[in-house]
Amino acid sequence: MKFVSLLALCALGLTASAQAEDGYDLWLRYHPLEKAAASHYAAIGATVVSASHSETANVTRDELVRGLSGLLAKKVTAREAITGNGAVLFGTPENSRTIAALHLPLEKLGPEGYLIRAAVVKGKPVTVIAGSSDVGVLYGAFRFLKLIQTRASIDHIDIASAPKVKLRLLNHWDNLDGSVERGYAGSSIFKWWELPAHSSQRMVDYARANASVGINGTVLINVNASSMILTREWLSKVARLADTFRPYGIKVYLAARFSAPIEIGGLKTADPLDPEVRAWWKNKADEIYHSIPDFGGFLVKANSEGQPGPQDYGRSHADGANMMAEALAPHGGVVMWRAFVYSHEVPVDRVKQAYDEFKPLDGKFRDNVIVQVKNGPLDFQPREPFSPLFGATPATAMGMELEITKEYLGFNTHLVYLGTLWQEVLDSDTFAKGQGSTVAKVVDGTLFDKKLTLMAGVANIGSDRNWCGSIFDQANWYAFGRLAWDPEAQAKDIAADWVKMTFTDNPVFDTAAVTLMMGSRETAVNYMTPLGLAHQMGTSGHYGPGSWIDNVGRPDWNPVYYHRADAQGIGFDRSPSGSDAVSQYAPALRDRLAKVETTPKNALLWFHHVPWSQPMKSGRTLWDELVARYGQGVAEVDTMATSWAKLKPYVDTERFDITADYLRIQRRDAQLWRDASVAYFASISHLPLPAGEKAPLHSLGYYKALEYPYAPGQGTPGRKIKPPPVDDAPTP
Ligand code: GCU
């Protein structure tokens, strides 16, 4: 490249391809296309046209200018009228007479949908991006840029899209001190200390990234909430963020602590039926809406893991949720009431408790309440069956909560693409209204005709320059947005788009990277919790193996509670002869899950206590199969590392190296998982290792003594630490 043209590109802000990449630009890199690909877009002219100057129209214009000039490596300018061929015209029928005159079928796309269409205006060919609202148009603009980023054809373009889910929200588990519960990407991106005086460019880029995948709301703080956020001083900080995010169609929401009326309101009680308490919440809602007129609402974790809630006063979850909903209703706000409740004082299988609690409340919630249910009945495990609450409450709006941050899946250093995990859940058939009653149809509201729908994802975003702690974890943020827009989207298509936008459209790279991503979750399941095992991670930090742990105060926080291994076999009997958790599923599914023979192998030990000697379809016994699975997981990580190594020529050094290094960490951890788990379960089964299987490197005692008191994501508790174990591996 000649010096002069480099300078010209610098002026356009197009220097990044020459630089190392740190991941900050996520999937919105807009690097110049290769010549051949760019030629497909020759018909796109050098102007973007809009007659509107609303805040959202302005950011849409800026994004199109930035994206098109970057991708097509030419100077693109914004105009108010069409002046030449190939203009990209965007707007709504209200703010553009030209668009109104096209009589586009926008009504059926709802307030957030968009249409992208080739048209001829005053004899000039143009591309029209239209919607009923400015935000719909913004989504269309991002889609248009994505088409070019992924080198899709735009000849005779005619695309329409509308979100299937109404609330598409990130849930930040960020604390006011800047720490992030279960956060593995640095500290919080929200600089509360600097707010409201300063809101950084990062907040704008955060909003851009979210809007680019259709995310339309964010819960700013941890569900283990501090009442402080509801004080006047802190609400002014929230208002500043709301102002920054608003042009991008992103509303702010807050996690609300149930006992706030006592803690910051000076009341003696938080009883939801107490008139003073009700008045307090009403006034608080009025105060919030005064400075944030489009405030989204509250997310509440109540009577769960020690959090206060209505049951402290003998009231139900519905009483609590409805009280807050009543306060928000005049302003159009919603309450997202979490169903993640369980108690160690209740002598019932933990995975049954949320259903037991919420099923009887079906139909008792106000219209602006949605119950937010984790995808599985336990807690974001590498694999769980779907929560039986999906499909069980036809009279209640049920939203889904996914965990984007990889609390139980190796943090940021294991490469695990979650698109496949989420698709597996969404595709699951609840049989609630016969075959085809998928979880996706519960979530998008079509199964029970619900208007208030929600998909929430616990964010994996932090202050790390690459946002998510690793490059491949960005794919999980991206995939969450895409699946929230369309819960029936395919994980593989999403991965393919992300790879092209994030790295390159080179087919060698893309095929290998997508293959690596698509197998990655199953690999993690294999080396961590094969065959339906769950919650085998070390307690507190949830990093590394801990199947032997049996001494944590609450039984249901101990891995032994979940695997139930004894001399005869392993697994949790949830059949009718055990805890009967299967009875919470629709009869067609219940009957299948009740028997070992008809239970899918990947959920076997979730539902059944199975003898070690049980023959499996593979021809092996259960014990041999279990050991083989752990080893398979390790071998698969080797394959992932090898295939990544071959991709070096296609990736910049910075992103190649961090991924390669993290795969080495993952390989080390996979081996640890395999060895520690095999050592422990062998001590219970008293069975020899199958022929050809290597003995664990260390003794069981060594693994048991390992601790990770400083693993990230646990806040800053006063940690008790023990000395590390003595290395007892045989000298090589
Ligand atoms: C898990 C997680 C906690 C979190 C909780 C929740 O148990 O480990 O950190 O607070 O889920 O979803 O509320």
Side-chain angles (χ1 to χ4, degrees):
M1 186 178 289
K2 285 199 194 111
F3 182 62
V4 179
S5 58
L6 180 62
L7 263 187
L9 287 179
C10 286
L12 289 170
L14 297 178
T15 53
S17 65
Q19 299 170 350
E21 291 205 44
D22 57 18
Y24 183 84
D25 291 337
L26 297 160
W27 50 88
L28 301 173
R29 289 158 62 251
Y30 305 144
H31 286 201
L33 301 183
E34 319 67 42
K35 267 217 175 86
S39 67
H40 296 305
Y41 305 107
I44 300 176
T47 53
V48 299
V49 177
S50 160
S52 168
H53 288 288
S54 72
E55 283 191 323
T56 300
N58 287 348
V59 302
T60 307
R61 175 200 63 208
D62 293 350
E63 196 69 34
L64 282 169
V65 168
R66 174 184 188 150
L68 293 175
S69 11
L71 290 161
L72 306 177
K74 63 182 177 192
K75 189 159 168 40
V76 175
T77 47
R79 295 265 155 80
E80 293 198 7
I82 296 169
T83 51
N85 288 345
V88 177
L89 169 68
F90 68 93
T92 67
E94 278 69 45
N95 63 32
S96 160
R97 262 191 263 152
T98 317
I99 288 178
L102 292 171
H103 300 292
L104 300 169
L106 294 174
E107 298 76 42
K108 59 174 190 221
L109 297 173
E112 293 180 298
Y114 60 80
L115 196 143
I116 310 175
R117 192 179 267 193
V120 176
V121 174
K122 291 189 190 138
K124 299 196 165 52
V126 298
T127 304
V128 181
I129 304 174
S132 299
S133 72
D134 281 343
V135 169
V137 179
L138 175 66
Y139 293 147
F142 275 116
R143 175 72 181 276
F144 183 61
L145 291 170
K146 188 192 105 181
L147 291 170
I148 302 175
Q149 287 176 284
T150 56
R151 284 72 165 170
S153 167
I154 56 163
D155 298 342
H156 315 293
I157 189 168
D158 188 1
I159 288 179
S161 183
K164 291 187 186 165
V165 174
K166 190 169 174 200
L167 308 180
R168 307 175 298 279
L169 265 52
L170 287 183
N171 286 185
H172 285 267
W173 284 359
D174 295 23
N175 299 313
L176 305 190
D177 64 0
S179 62
V180 182
E181 182 155 335
R182 312 306 177 187
Y184 313 107
S187 53
S188 175
I189 51 164
F190 306 124
K191 302 282 178 220
W192 295 109
W193 195 247
E194 297 172 7
L195 287 161
H198 178 66
S199 170
S200 65
Q201 176 61 32
R202 188 149 195 165
M203 293 296 91
V204 175
D205 290 333
Y206 164 81
R208 285 177 57 230
N210 281 324
S212 76
V213 288
I215 290 170
N216 66 358
T218 178
V219 181
L220 298 170
I221 66 156
N222 194 351
V223 286
N224 296 317
S226 163
S227 301
M228 184 76 106
I229 197 78
L230 295 173
T231 60
R232 179 167 306 175
E233 183 195 345
W234 283 77
L235 286 172
S236 69
K237 298 168 187 275
V238 175
R240 177 74 202 265
L241 290 178
D243 291 343
T244 310
F245 300 158
R246 187 168 297 113
Y248 293 90
I250 293 162
K251 288 187 181 182
V252 299
Y253 297 73
L254 290 175
R257 187 164 158 87
F258 201 78
S259 49
I262 303 174
E263 288 155 10
I264 58 167
L267 301 190
K268 294 221 159 40
T269 176
D271 182 348
L273 300 192
D274 182 289
E276 274 193 276
V277 173
R278 297 177 88 85
W280 188 87
W281 282 108
K282 198 183 158 309
N283 291 337
K284 189 48 76 183
D286 295 347
E287 181 190 340
I288 295 173
Y289 280 93
H290 184 71
S291 51
I292 313 170
D294 56 353
F295 178 69
F298 293 138
L299 169 65
V300 189
K301 172 174 178 177
N303 293 120
S304 162
E305 300 187 328
Q307 294 298 314
Q311 293 179 334
D312 302 347
Y313 308 95
R315 316 295 185 196
S316 73
H317 284 284
D319 293 330
N322 290 342
M323 174 206 41
M324 288 191 181
E326 191 181 86
L328 295 168
H331 308 282
V334 299
V335 171
M336 295 160 295
W337 194 268
R338 297 178 86 228
F340 180 64
V341 298
Y342 62 97
S343 163
H344 61 297
E345 280 146 17
V346 178
V348 171
D349 178 1
R350 169 171 163 185
V351 309
K352 290 179 71 179
Q353 294 187 26
Y355 177 103
D356 287 350
E357 194 80 56
F358 281 86
K359 169 86 179 153
L361 297 177
D362 188 23
K364 302 227 158 67
F365 293 95
R366 286 184 62 117
D367 286 353
N368 60 332
V369 176
I370 184 158
V371 176
Q372 181 167 315
V373 186
K374 290 189 181 184
N375 58 276
L378 181 51
D379 193 9
F380 300 135
Q381 295 304 295
R383 172 169 278 122
E384 299 183 41
F386 69 87
S387 164
L389 275 168
F390 293 109
T393 58
T396 303
M398 284 277 157
M400 177 173 281
E401 178 178 309
L402 302 170
E403 193 175 48
I404 310 173
T405 188
K406 301 206 313 298
E407 173 183 358
Y408 293 103
L409 283 134
F411 298 2
N412 60 314
T413 44
H414 291 202
L415 194 163
V416 183
Y417 172 53
L418 299 174
T420 47
L421 188 166
W422 298 332
Q423 192 185 331
E424 178 178 290
V425 178
L426 290 161
D427 284 352
S428 298
D429 202 336
T430 68
F431 292 93
K433 285 171 89 179
Q435 200 166 359
S437 308
T438 59
V439 172
K441 291 197 160 66
V442 177
V443 174
D444 71 15
T446 51
L447 193 71
F448 298 127
D449 193 22
K450 292 277 170 287
K451 298 284 168 284
L452 182 57
T453 51
L454 161 75
M455 191 114 124
V458 181
N460 65 348
I461 298 162
S463 59
D464 280 7
R465 181 75 189 157
N466 66 23
W467 299 88
C468 300
S470 83
I471 301 299
F472 275 85
D473 278 341
Q474 298 176 353
N476 293 326
W477 178 7
Y478 179 82
F480 167 75
R482 290 279 302 271
L483 283 167
W485 184 275
D486 177 6
E488 289 176 331
Q490 298 297 301
K492 190 168 180 187
D493 298 342
I494 297 171
D497 283 346
W498 177 81
V499 161
K500 280 197 187 125
M501 295 160 85
T502 303
F503 292 104
T504 162
D505 81 322
N506 182 296
V508 177
F509 181 90
D510 291 358
T511 310
V514 170
T515 306
L516 195 145
M517 288 167 77
M518 289 302 289
S520 60
R521 180 272 188 134
E522 204 61 54
T523 294
V525 169
N526 281 334
Y527 63 73
M528 287 183 181
T529 50
L531 300 174
L533 286 176
H535 225 310
Q536 298 303 293
M537 297 76 197
T539 46
S540 307
H542 296 160
Y543 193 81
S547 292
W548 48 85
I549 295 174
D550 62 359
N551 59 357
V552 182
R554 302 174 51 145
D556 53 9
W557 282 355
N558 286 293
V560 295
Y561 175 92
Y562 296 98
H563 65 64
R564 312 228 155 178
D566 55 24
Q568 281 71 49
I570 179 170
F572 198 129
D573 184 3
R574 296 190 164 110
S575 74
S577 57
S579 80
D580 201 24
V582 295
S583 67
Q584 296 183 334
Y585 292 97
L589 188 55
R590 175 200 63 203
D591 296 347
R592 223 179 279 173
L593 298 174
K595 295 194 220 89
V596 169
E597 310 78 65
T598 45
T599 300
K601 189 153 94 179
N602 63 23
L604 186 65
L605 305 180
W606 179 279
F607 287 111
H608 300 281
H609 190 75
V610 183
W612 296 112
S613 57
Q614 174 91 10
M616 308 289 286
K617 282 211 185 86
S618 61
R620 302 182 180 115
T621 62
L622 172 66
W623 167 245
D624 289 4
E625 180 75 21
L626 186 70
V627 176
R629 286 296 177 110
Y630 285 118
Q632 186 183 332
V634 181
E636 284 165 354
V637 180
D638 274 335
T639 309
M640 288 166 72
T642 315
S643 86
W644 181 251
K646 290 195 190 126
L647 300 180
K648 192 170 170 58
Y650 307 97
V651 196
D652 53 286
T653 313
E654 197 167 347
R655 293 188 300 166
F656 176 81
D657 284 351
I658 187 174
T659 305
D661 287 350
Y662 283 1
L663 281 162
R664 272 188 284 279
I665 295 177
Q666 185 172 4
R667 173 62 176 77
R668 178 202 68 195
D669 290 352
Q671 188 72 53
L672 175 67
W673 267 98
R674 181 265 175 197
D675 283 353
S677 308
V678 167
Y680 170 68
F681 288 123
S683 80
I684 308 277
S685 72
H686 302 296
L687 290 167
L689 286 184
E693 290 284 354
K694 279 205 184 119
L697 192 59
H698 298 280
S699 67
L700 177 57
Y702 172 88
Y703 297 116
K704 283 185 171 179
L706 287 176
E707 287 201 346
Y708 314 96
Y710 295 107
Q714 302 173 81
T716 45
R719 290 170 190 159
K720 281 193 228 132
I721 53 161
K722 293 194 298 208
V726 177
D727 186 344
D728 62 3
T731 323

